[in-house]
Amino acid sequence: MRQSVPVPHGLPMDRDANPFDPPRAITRLRAARPVSPLVFPDGHEGWLVTGYDAVRQLMADTRFSSRLDLGVVHVPYETPGMPVPSEPSPQIPGVFIAMDPPDHTRLRRRLTGAFTVKRMKQLEEHIVEVTERQLDAMARLAPPVDLVREFALPVPSLVICELLGVPYEDRDTFQSNSAKFLVKEQTLEEKMAAYGALTTYLAELVTSKRAAPGEDILSDLARHDDLTVEELTGIAFLLLLAGHETTANMLALGTFALLEHPDQLAELRADPDLLPDAVEELLRYLAVGDVFYRYATEDIELGGETIGKGSTVVVSLLAANHDPRRFAHPDTLDVHRKARGHLSFGHGVHQCLGQQLARVEMRAGFAGLLRRFPTLELAIPANEVKLRTDMNIYGVHELPVTWTEPAG
C-alpha cells in the first residue's frame, strides 16, 4: 500500500549525509513512493523516479522519450552534457543522447564497432601504458599533489584524444570549456558560450578529417558521406565530453572513497583480484552521472502510478543504485559485492556506449595507483575536499594527496 508522503517541491540534490550517499530526502521518498509526483520550482507538475525496478523499467521503455524538443526542463539541472532549455528546444544534430529511435539508432550504429568489448580488450595494454606513464610523472613530483590534475584528468583525456584523433595539446581548450559547460547554476547564455567554443573547435577538426582522414574514430566517421559535418560535430562533442569527464571524476572520487574506507582499501591492496568487482561497486556506490530526464509520449503505468502523456520525468540513478530492494546494505562500500546490474551506465537503448572503455581505464587507474603509491593518503581533512556539487557530473574539483614512502 502506498505510504503518505509529502510531494517534493524541487529536486533535492545535495549529498548531505556524506559525500557519497544519496540525499536523505530522496532516500525517504524512495522508501515511501519510488515513483513520486514532483512539483518543479515554476509550479509545473512532473514525476521523480527513485526505485531501482522502476528506473530500470523506465529506461528500457522507449515510450519515455529523450527528445528535448518534446518537453521542458523546469529546474536548473539537466541530462549531463545537455543545455538547459526553458522551453522545448530543437534537436542538435549528432547529439544522439537526446534522440529516440530511429534517429538515435542510425547514429549510434555508426559507433558500436568502435567500442566493442573485444576492441577495448585489445586497447587494454596500451591504456595500462598510458596510466603508468602518468604515474611515473606523478611520482617525480614532491607531494602533496592534486590527484585530479596530475592523474585522474590526464589519463582519460589522453586515451579519448588518441581514440578520437583530437590533439592532446589542445586539452586546455576542451577541458576548460567542458568544465564551464557542466556548471549547474549559470545562465543559458554562459552555457551555450562554452558549448559554442567547443563545437566551433570540433567542427574545424572533423572538417579537416573529412579532407584528410587518419587512423582514429572521428576519421572513420568522417568517411561516411551520409553524416553531415554538423552531425559529426555533435557526435564528437558527446564522445569527447563523456570520454574524459565521467572517467576522470570516477578515478578521483573513487580514490577519495577508498581513502575514506581504509578497511576496503586494505582488502583491495591485499587481493588485487578483487579489482574488477571493486570497480563495479564504486560505479554503483558513486554514480557520478546521476540525474536524467525523460518525457512521456503517452499515458504510461509505472510503479503503480499513471504518468500522463507529456509529463516530465526525472530519474535518479544514484537513488536507484542505493535501493535496498536491489542491493543489501546499499550505503555501504563493499569491494566484495557483486554489483553488476547497477544503473550507472544507464539501461536500454541509451546505455553508455563507452562503458567498456571506462571499465578498462578504471581498472588500470586504480590498480596502478594502489600499487605505485602504497602509502597514499589525503593531504587535507576530508571535510575540506572541494566537491563538485555545482556540476552536472559529480566528483571532486581537487583531491590533494600525499605519500610517505617513495613510489614504487
Side-chain angles (χ1 to χ4, degrees):
M1 185 175 177
R2 182 195 304 157
Q3 299 179 40
S4 176
V5 60
V7 175
H9 284 64
L11 186 61
M13 287 292 295
D14 292 335
R15 304 193 187 200
D16 42 16
N18 69 45
F20 314 115
D21 289 347
R24 293 188 190 95
I26 277 191
T27 299
R28 290 192 295 268
L29 189 65
R30 183 191 58 215
R33 196 171 179 182
V35 180
S36 168
L38 172 70
V39 178
F40 294 107
D42 66 353
H44 172 79
E45 294 183 3
W47 294 86
L48 173 61
V49 184
T50 53
Y52 177 91
D53 289 341
V55 168
R56 187 177 170 93
Q57 181 182 337
L58 178 151
M59 299 193 87
D61 190 336
T62 54
R63 294 176 299 171
F64 287 104
S65 175
S66 298
R67 286 173 51 184
L68 296 179
D69 58 329
L70 295 183
V72 183
V73 175
H74 295 263
V75 288
Y77 314 107
E78 77 274 4
T79 297
M82 295 308 303
V84 183
S86 56
E87 59 185 31
S89 58
Q91 288 187 287
I92 302 172
V95 181
F96 55 87
I97 195 173
M99 295 178 181
D100 297 334
D103 295 329
H104 169 269
T105 310
R106 179 179 73 87
L107 294 177
R108 183 167 170 129
R109 187 179 292 136
R110 294 293 192 198
L111 286 160
T112 50
F115 292 97
T116 60
V117 175
K118 181 180 179 182
R119 186 163 183 180
M120 292 306 108
K121 283 188 177 297
Q122 291 169 344
L123 277 171
E124 189 158 7
E125 186 175 331
H126 178 62
I127 290 170
V128 169
E129 290 173 2
V130 170
T131 302
E132 292 298 323
R133 283 200 302 270
Q134 202 60 41
L135 289 168
D136 288 342
M138 186 168 129
R140 289 192 289 269
L141 301 174
V145 304
D146 175 15
L147 190 81
V148 174
R149 185 178 64 199
E150 305 299 340
F151 180 68
L153 185 56
V155 167
S157 294
L158 280 160
V159 171
I160 199 64
C161 281
E162 191 169 323
L163 282 177
L164 295 182
V166 175
Y168 185 63
E169 57 267 26
D170 295 343
R171 64 191 178 279
D172 289 344
T173 297
F174 70 74
Q175 286 175 354
S176 63
N177 283 309
S178 294
K180 290 174 187 174
F181 182 74
L182 290 168
V183 172
K184 284 181 189 171
E185 302 291 345
Q186 64 176 321
T187 66
L188 185 57
E189 289 73 21
E190 290 171 319
K191 184 175 285 284
M192 294 311 291
Y195 174 76
L198 267 172
T199 52
T200 298
Y201 166 75
L202 291 170
E204 293 174 358
L205 183 67
V206 297
T207 300
S208 70
K209 289 184 180 297
R210 176 151 278 177
E215 297 299 321
D216 55 72
I217 290 173
L218 292 184
S219 292
D220 290 346
L221 291 170
R223 290 185 176 95
H224 293 288
D225 293 335
D226 64 317
L227 294 177
T228 66
V229 168
E230 291 76 19
E231 286 178 322
L232 290 168
T233 301
I235 292 170
F237 165 74
L238 271 188
L239 296 181
L240 184 61
L241 188 78
H244 79 276
E245 279 284 353
T246 50
T247 306
N249 284 289
M250 273 302 306
L251 285 171
L253 190 64
T255 300
F256 183 26
L258 289 171
L259 292 174
E260 284 296 280
H261 294 81
D263 57 328
Q264 299 298 298
L265 180 57
E267 291 195 41
L268 203 48
R269 288 193 195 281
D271 184 3
D273 289 343
L274 289 173
L275 193 59
D277 284 340
V279 164
E280 298 303 317
E281 170 66 348
L282 286 166
L283 284 162
R284 178 201 70 83
Y285 184 62
L286 300 173
V288 298
D290 177 14
V291 174
F292 288 80
Y293 285 82
R294 295 291 185 266
Y295 306 99
T297 58
E298 58 184 80
D299 291 351
I300 305 170
E301 294 292 321
L302 184 70
E305 309 282 356
T306 300
I307 296 179
K309 180 179 179 178
S311 295
T312 302
V313 185
V314 184
V315 181
S316 173
L317 301 186
L318 177 68
N321 279 344
H322 284 246
D323 189 340
R325 299 177 182 89
R326 175 62 178 81
F327 299 102
H329 309 292
D331 296 338
T332 299
L333 177 65
D334 180 3
V335 296
H336 294 275
R337 189 193 304 269
K338 305 297 182 185
R340 294 190 183 275
H342 65 76
L343 297 173
S344 293
F345 290 122
H347 183 62
V349 297
H350 286 284
Q351 192 169 36
C352 176
L353 191 65
Q355 61 180 291
Q356 300 305 336
L357 175 62
R359 287 185 168 104
V360 171
E361 290 175 323
M362 280 185 271
R363 287 197 298 265
F366 289 125
L369 192 65
L370 299 187
R371 186 185 73 255
R372 298 283 299 275
F373 295 87
T375 57
L376 191 74
E377 60 183 9
L378 291 178
I380 60 174
N383 62 5
E384 293 180 13
V385 173
K386 296 177 182 176
L387 300 168
R388 286 170 52 111
T389 53
D390 58 332
M391 309 293 277
N392 282 302
I393 295 177
Y394 188 60
V396 293
H397 283 292
E398 300 171 358
L399 191 69
V401 295
T402 188
W403 53 90
T404 54
E405 293 180 14

Short mmCIF file of all heavy atoms in Angstrom, two decimals, residues 99-136:
data_model
loop_
_atom_site.label_atom_id
_atom_site.label_comp_id
_atom_site.label_asym_id
_atom_site.label_seq_id
_atom_site.Cartn_x
_atom_site.Cartn_y
_atom_site.Cartn_z
N MET A 99 18.06 11.87 -28.61
CA MET A 99 17.24 11.41 -29.72
C MET A 99 16.58 10.08 -29.37
O MET A 99 17.02 9.37 -28.47
CB MET A 99 18.10 11.21 -30.98
CG MET A 99 18.71 12.49 -31.53
SD MET A 99 19.74 12.14 -32.98
CE MET A 99 20.32 13.81 -33.35
N ASP A 100 15.54 9.76 -30.09
CA ASP A 100 14.86 8.47 -29.98
C ASP A 100 15.10 7.68 -31.26
O ASP A 100 15.47 8.26 -32.29
CB ASP A 100 13.35 8.67 -29.80
CG ASP A 100 13.00 9.39 -28.52
OD1 ASP A 100 13.80 9.32 -27.56
OD2 ASP A 100 11.93 10.04 -28.47
N PRO A 101 14.88 6.36 -31.22
CA PRO A 101 14.90 5.60 -32.48
C PRO A 101 13.83 6.17 -33.42
O PRO A 101 12.80 6.64 -32.94
CB PRO A 101 14.54 4.18 -32.03
CG PRO A 101 14.94 4.13 -30.58
CD PRO A 101 14.66 5.51 -30.05
N PRO A 102 14.06 6.18 -34.75
CA PRO A 102 15.20 5.58 -35.46
C PRO A 102 16.40 6.52 -35.62
O PRO A 102 17.45 6.08 -36.03
CB PRO A 102 14.60 5.26 -36.84
CG PRO A 102 13.59 6.34 -37.04
CD PRO A 102 13.00 6.62 -35.68
N ASP A 103 16.24 7.83 -35.30
CA ASP A 103 17.36 8.76 -35.45
C ASP A 103 18.53 8.34 -34.56
O ASP A 103 19.70 8.33 -34.98
CB ASP A 103 16.93 10.18 -35.09
CG ASP A 103 15.88 10.73 -36.05
OD1 ASP A 103 15.92 10.33 -37.23
OD2 ASP A 103 15.03 11.53 -35.63
N HIS A 104 18.22 8.00 -33.31
CA HIS A 104 19.24 7.56 -32.37
C HIS A 104 19.94 6.31 -32.89
O HIS A 104 21.17 6.20 -32.86
CB HIS A 104 18.58 7.28 -31.01
CG HIS A 104 19.46 6.58 -30.04
ND1 HIS A 104 19.51 5.20 -29.93
CD2 HIS A 104 20.35 7.05 -29.14
CE1 HIS A 104 20.38 4.87 -28.98
NE2 HIS A 104 20.90 5.96 -28.50
N THR A 105 19.16 5.37 -33.41
CA THR A 105 19.71 4.10 -33.89
C THR A 105 20.67 4.32 -35.05
O THR A 105 21.75 3.70 -35.10
CB THR A 105 18.56 3.17 -34.34
OG1 THR A 105 17.58 3.10 -33.30
CG2 THR A 105 19.08 1.77 -34.63
N ARG A 106 20.31 5.19 -35.97
CA ARG A 106 21.15 5.44 -37.15
C ARG A 106 22.54 5.94 -36.75
O ARG A 106 23.55 5.48 -37.28
CB ARG A 106 20.47 6.47 -38.05
CG ARG A 106 21.28 6.82 -39.32
CD ARG A 106 20.55 7.83 -40.19
NE ARG A 106 20.54 9.16 -39.63
CZ ARG A 106 21.51 10.06 -39.83
NH1 ARG A 106 22.57 9.76 -40.57
NH2 ARG A 106 21.42 11.27 -39.29
N LEU A 107 22.59 6.87 -35.80
CA LEU A 107 23.87 7.44 -35.42
C LEU A 107 24.65 6.51 -34.50
O LEU A 107 25.87 6.33 -34.66
CB LEU A 107 23.66 8.79 -34.72
CG LEU A 107 23.08 9.89 -35.62
CD1 LEU A 107 22.85 11.16 -34.82
CD2 LEU A 107 24.01 10.18 -36.80
N ARG A 108 23.97 5.89 -33.56
CA ARG A 108 24.68 5.02 -32.62
C ARG A 108 25.27 3.81 -33.33
O ARG A 108 26.35 3.33 -32.98
CB ARG A 108 23.73 4.58 -31.50
CG ARG A 108 24.44 3.72 -30.46
CD ARG A 108 23.62 3.54 -29.22
NE ARG A 108 24.20 2.52 -28.36
CZ ARG A 108 24.46 2.70 -27.08
NH1 ARG A 108 24.23 3.86 -26.50
NH2 ARG A 108 24.98 1.72 -26.36
N ARG A 109 24.56 3.31 -34.35
CA ARG A 109 25.05 2.14 -35.09
C ARG A 109 26.42 2.42 -35.71
O ARG A 109 27.24 1.52 -35.86
CB ARG A 109 24.03 1.75 -36.16
CG ARG A 109 24.37 0.44 -36.87
CD ARG A 109 23.31 0.10 -37.89
NE ARG A 109 22.03 -0.24 -37.28
CZ ARG A 109 20.86 0.19 -37.70
NH1 ARG A 109 20.78 1.03 -38.71
NH2 ARG A 109 19.75 -0.19 -37.09
N ARG A 110 26.66 3.66 -36.09
CA ARG A 110 27.95 4.02 -36.68
C ARG A 110 29.10 3.85 -35.69
O ARG A 110 30.26 3.75 -36.08
CB ARG A 110 27.93 5.47 -37.16
CG ARG A 110 26.99 5.76 -38.30
CD ARG A 110 27.44 5.07 -39.56
NE ARG A 110 26.73 5.56 -40.75
CZ ARG A 110 26.70 4.89 -41.89
NH1 ARG A 110 27.31 3.73 -41.99
NH2 ARG A 110 26.05 5.39 -42.92
N LEU A 111 28.79 3.83 -34.40
CA LEU A 111 29.83 3.84 -33.38
C LEU A 111 30.01 2.52 -32.65
O LEU A 111 30.99 2.35 -31.94
CB LEU A 111 29.49 4.92 -32.33
CG LEU A 111 29.72 6.35 -32.79
CD1 LEU A 111 28.92 7.32 -31.94
CD2 LEU A 111 31.19 6.69 -32.74
N THR A 112 29.07 1.61 -32.81
CA THR A 112 29.12 0.39 -31.98
C THR A 112 30.41 -0.40 -32.21
O THR A 112 30.99 -0.95 -31.27
CB THR A 112 27.90 -0.51 -32.25
OG1 THR A 112 27.76 -0.69 -33.67
CG2 THR A 112 26.64 0.10 -31.69
N GLY A 113 30.91 -0.44 -33.43
CA GLY A 113 32.14 -1.19 -33.70
C GLY A 113 33.36 -0.60 -33.04
O GLY A 113 34.33 -1.31 -32.75
N ALA A 114 33.33 0.71 -32.76
CA ALA A 114 34.49 1.38 -32.17
C ALA A 114 34.65 1.08 -30.69
O ALA A 114 35.74 1.22 -30.14
CB ALA A 114 34.37 2.89 -32.37
N PHE A 115 33.56 0.67 -30.02
CA PHE A 115 33.61 0.50 -28.57
C PHE A 115 33.22 -0.90 -28.12
O PHE A 115 32.69 -1.08 -27.04
CB PHE A 115 32.68 1.53 -27.90
CG PHE A 115 33.17 2.95 -28.03
CD1 PHE A 115 32.68 3.77 -29.03
CD2 PHE A 115 34.12 3.45 -27.16
CE1 PHE A 115 33.12 5.08 -29.16
CE2 PHE A 115 34.58 4.76 -27.28
CZ PHE A 115 34.08 5.57 -28.28
N THR A 116 33.49 -1.90 -28.94
CA THR A 116 33.15 -3.27 -28.56
C THR A 116 34.05 -3.75 -27.43
O THR A 116 35.16 -3.23 -27.21
CB THR A 116 33.31 -4.23 -29.75
OG1 THR A 116 34.68 -4.18 -30.19
CG2 THR A 116 32.39 -3.84 -30.90
N VAL A 117 33.58 -4.76 -26.70
CA VAL A 117 34.38 -5.37 -25.63
C VAL A 117 35.70 -5.87 -26.20
O VAL A 117 36.78 -5.68 -25.60
CB VAL A 117 33.60 -6.52 -24.96
CG1 VAL A 117 34.48 -7.23 -23.93
CG2 VAL A 117 32.32 -6.00 -24.30
N LYS A 118 35.64 -6.49 -27.37
CA LYS A 118 36.86 -7.04 -27.99
C LYS A 118 37.87 -5.94 -28.27
O LYS A 118 39.06 -6.07 -27.96
CB LYS A 118 36.50 -7.77 -29.28
CG LYS A 118 37.70 -8.40 -29.98
CD LYS A 118 37.27 -9.11 -31.27
CE LYS A 118 38.48 -9.70 -31.99
NZ LYS A 118 38.07 -10.37 -33.27
N ARG A 119 37.40 -4.83 -28.85
CA ARG A 119 38.32 -3.75 -29.17
C ARG A 119 38.90 -3.12 -27.91
O ARG A 119 40.07 -2.75 -27.86
CB ARG A 119 37.61 -2.68 -30.01
CG ARG A 119 38.56 -1.59 -30.50
CD ARG A 119 37.98 -0.79 -31.63
NE ARG A 119 38.93 0.21 -32.11
CZ ARG A 119 38.69 1.05 -33.09
NH1 ARG A 119 37.53 1.00 -33.72
NH2 ARG A 119 39.58 1.94 -33.45
N MET A 120 38.10 -3.01 -26.86
CA MET A 120 38.59 -2.44 -25.61
C MET A 120 39.63 -3.35 -24.96
O MET A 120 40.61 -2.89 -24.38
CB MET A 120 37.44 -2.19 -24.65
CG MET A 120 36.50 -1.08 -25.09
SD MET A 120 37.33 0.50 -25.45
CE MET A 120 37.22 0.56 -27.24
N LYS A 121 39.44 -4.67 -25.08
CA LYS A 121 40.44 -5.61 -24.55
C LYS A 121 41.76 -5.46 -25.31
O LYS A 121 42.84 -5.54 -24.74
CB LYS A 121 39.93 -7.04 -24.63
CG LYS A 121 38.92 -7.40 -23.55
CD LYS A 121 38.62 -8.88 -23.55
CE LYS A 121 37.65 -9.25 -22.43
NZ LYS A 121 38.23 -8.98 -21.09
N GLN A 122 41.66 -5.23 -26.62
CA GLN A 122 42.87 -5.03 -27.41
C GLN A 122 43.59 -3.75 -27.00
O GLN A 122 44.81 -3.66 -27.06
CB GLN A 122 42.51 -4.98 -28.90
CG GLN A 122 42.03 -6.32 -29.46
CD GLN A 122 41.42 -6.19 -30.85
OE1 GLN A 122 41.09 -5.08 -31.30
NE2 GLN A 122 41.26 -7.31 -31.54
N LEU A 123 42.82 -2.76 -26.56
CA LEU A 123 43.40 -1.48 -26.15
C LEU A 123 43.94 -1.49 -24.73
O LEU A 123 44.66 -0.58 -24.33
CB LEU A 123 42.32 -0.38 -26.23
CG LEU A 123 42.07 0.25 -27.59
CD1 LEU A 123 40.84 1.14 -27.51
CD2 LEU A 123 43.28 1.09 -28.01
N GLU A 124 43.57 -2.52 -23.96
CA GLU A 124 43.86 -2.51 -22.53
C GLU A 124 45.35 -2.34 -22.24
O GLU A 124 45.74 -1.55 -21.37
CB GLU A 124 43.33 -3.79 -21.87
CG GLU A 124 43.40 -3.75 -20.36
CD GLU A 124 42.43 -4.72 -19.70
OE1 GLU A 124 41.77 -5.51 -20.42
OE2 GLU A 124 42.32 -4.66 -18.48
N GLU A 125 46.20 -3.06 -22.97
CA GLU A 125 47.64 -2.97 -22.72
C GLU A 125 48.14 -1.54 -22.96
O GLU A 125 48.96 -1.02 -22.19
CB GLU A 125 48.39 -3.94 -23.64
CG GLU A 125 49.88 -4.02 -23.35
CD GLU A 125 50.57 -5.08 -24.21
OE1 GLU A 125 49.91 -6.08 -24.57
OE2 GLU A 125 51.76 -4.90 -24.50
N HIS A 126 47.62 -0.90 -23.99
CA HIS A 126 48.04 0.47 -24.28
C HIS A 126 47.53 1.42 -23.20
O HIS A 126 48.25 2.35 -22.80
CB HIS A 126 47.52 0.91 -25.65
CG HIS A 126 47.87 2.32 -25.99
ND1 HIS A 126 49.18 2.75 -26.12
CD2 HIS A 126 47.09 3.41 -26.21
CE1 HIS A 126 49.20 4.03 -26.41
NE2 HIS A 126 47.94 4.46 -26.47
N ILE A 127 46.33 1.21 -22.72
CA ILE A 127 45.78 2.07 -21.66
C ILE A 127 46.59 1.92 -20.38
O ILE A 127 46.85 2.89 -19.66
CB ILE A 127 44.29 1.76 -21.44
CG1 ILE A 127 43.48 2.24 -22.66
CG2 ILE A 127 43.76 2.41 -20.17
CD1 ILE A 127 42.03 1.80 -22.69
N VAL A 128 47.04 0.70 -20.09
CA VAL A 128 47.92 0.48 -18.94
C VAL A 128 49.22 1.28 -19.12
O VAL A 128 49.72 1.90 -18.17
CB VAL A 128 48.22 -1.02 -18.74
CG1 VAL A 128 49.35 -1.23 -17.74
CG2 VAL A 128 46.95 -1.75 -18.28
N GLU A 129 49.77 1.30 -20.33
CA GLU A 129 51.00 2.06 -20.60
C GLU A 129 50.77 3.56 -20.38
O GLU A 129 51.61 4.24 -19.78
CB GLU A 129 51.46 1.82 -22.04
CG GLU A 129 52.00 0.42 -22.30
CD GLU A 129 52.28 0.18 -23.78
OE1 GLU A 129 52.09 1.12 -24.58
OE2 GLU A 129 52.67 -0.94 -24.13
N VAL A 130 49.64 4.07 -20.87
CA VAL A 130 49.31 5.49 -20.66
C VAL A 130 49.23 5.78 -19.17
O VAL A 130 49.76 6.79 -18.67
CB VAL A 130 47.98 5.84 -21.36
CG1 VAL A 130 47.49 7.23 -20.95
CG2 VAL A 130 48.13 5.76 -22.87
N THR A 131 48.55 4.89 -18.44
CA THR A 131 48.39 5.06 -17.00
C THR A 131 49.74 5.06 -16.29
O THR A 131 50.01 5.91 -15.43
CB THR A 131 47.50 3.92 -16.44
OG1 THR A 131 46.24 3.93 -17.11
CG2 THR A 131 47.27 4.09 -14.94
N GLU A 132 50.61 4.11 -16.63
CA GLU A 132 51.91 4.01 -15.97
C GLU A 132 52.78 5.24 -16.25
O GLU A 132 53.50 5.71 -15.36
CB GLU A 132 52.63 2.73 -16.40
CG GLU A 132 51.97 1.45 -15.91
CD GLU A 132 51.94 1.34 -14.39
OE1 GLU A 132 52.92 1.76 -13.74
OE2 GLU A 132 50.92 0.85 -13.85
N ARG A 133 52.71 5.76 -17.47
CA ARG A 133 53.48 6.97 -17.78
C ARG A 133 53.02 8.15 -16.93
O ARG A 133 53.83 8.95 -16.45
CB ARG A 133 53.36 7.32 -19.27
CG ARG A 133 54.21 6.45 -20.18
CD ARG A 133 54.43 7.13 -21.54
NE ARG A 133 53.19 7.45 -22.23
CZ ARG A 133 52.57 6.62 -23.07
NH1 ARG A 133 53.08 5.42 -23.32
NH2 ARG A 133 51.45 6.99 -23.67
N GLN A 134 51.71 8.25 -16.73
CA GLN A 134 51.20 9.35 -15.91
C GLN A 134 51.58 9.16 -14.44
O GLN A 134 51.87 10.13 -13.74
CB GLN A 134 49.67 9.44 -16.07
CG GLN A 134 49.10 10.80 -15.72
CD GLN A 134 49.65 11.93 -16.57
OE1 GLN A 134 49.84 11.78 -17.78
NE2 GLN A 134 49.96 13.06 -15.94
N LEU A 135 51.60 7.92 -13.99
CA LEU A 135 52.04 7.64 -12.62
C LEU A 135 53.53 7.94 -12.45
O LEU A 135 53.96 8.42 -11.40
CB LEU A 135 51.73 6.19 -12.25
CG LEU A 135 50.24 5.87 -12.05
CD1 LEU A 135 50.02 4.36 -11.99
CD2 LEU A 135 49.70 6.54 -10.79
N ASP A 136 54.33 7.64 -13.49
CA ASP A 136 55.76 7.99 -13.47
C ASP A 136 55.92 9.49 -13.27
O ASP A 136 56.75 9.95 -12.46
CB ASP A 136 56.45 7.59 -14.78
CG ASP A 136 56.62 6.09 -14.93
OD1 ASP A 136 56.55 5.37 -13.91
OD2 ASP A 136 56.82 5.64 -16.08
#
